[in-house]
Amino acid sequence: MRPRSIVLALAISWILLPASQALAAEVHVHKGTVISVSNGRLVMKDRAGQEHTHLVSKDTKVTINGQPGRLEQLEPTMQVRVATEGADKVVSVSRRTAKSGFEEDC
């Protein structure tokens, strides 16, 4: 009985592995400068000068200098980091000044 159970467990693992990998989407961090914010959209320019538009949901974590904030508090020219999961789901937006953290490396 044991060899059959092991084979069955391996077969189930082999079948479920691709599904579990799809669920664990990779997080990407985009650094740049805010161009505009309106209606849940954040438009930013990255270091290479490319513009990117991110759709930001109400569930997205926004922090400003380490404190909870709102997307609407971000203003043009502010340096930000946007973390996305998968193709385009924004999971966090953060802004810090040089005094509190990362403005130099955005």
Side-chain angles (χ1 to χ4, degrees):
M1 274 316 240
R2 276 206 162 144
R4 232 182 241 177
S5 297
I6 292 171
V7 170
L8 181 60
L10 289 173
I12 291 171
S13 298
W14 183 74
I15 291 169
L16 295 178
L17 182 62
S20 66
Q21 289 175 340
L23 293 175
E26 191 173 333
V27 174
H28 296 278
V29 176
H30 308 270
K31 300 175 187 177
T33 305
V34 174
I35 294 176
S36 66
V37 174
S38 67
N39 299 323
R41 290 182 187 265
L42 167 64
V43 181
M44 64 180 283
K45 187 180 286 190
D46 66 17
R47 293 180 189 177
Q50 297 284 340
E51 284 190 20
H52 302 272
T53 300
H54 298 284
L55 299 177
V56 181
S57 75
K58 293 179 183 179
D59 298 327
T60 300
K61 179 181 177 184
V62 177
T63 57
I64 300 174
N65 296 325
Q67 300 297 316
R70 294 185 331 274
L71 185 65
E72 298 78 25
Q73 292 175 288
L74 299 176
E75 298 175 0
T77 73
M78 287 183 169
Q79 301 292 308
V80 293
R81 287 185 182 179
V82 176
T84 59
E85 189 175 78
D88 60 357
K89 180 184 177 190
V90 177
V91 292
S92 71
V93 177
S94 54
R95 192 268 179 180
R96 290 188 183 265
T97 63
K99 284 183 180 178
S100 64
F102 65 71
E103 187 170 274
E104 314 84 26
D105 69 352
C106 278

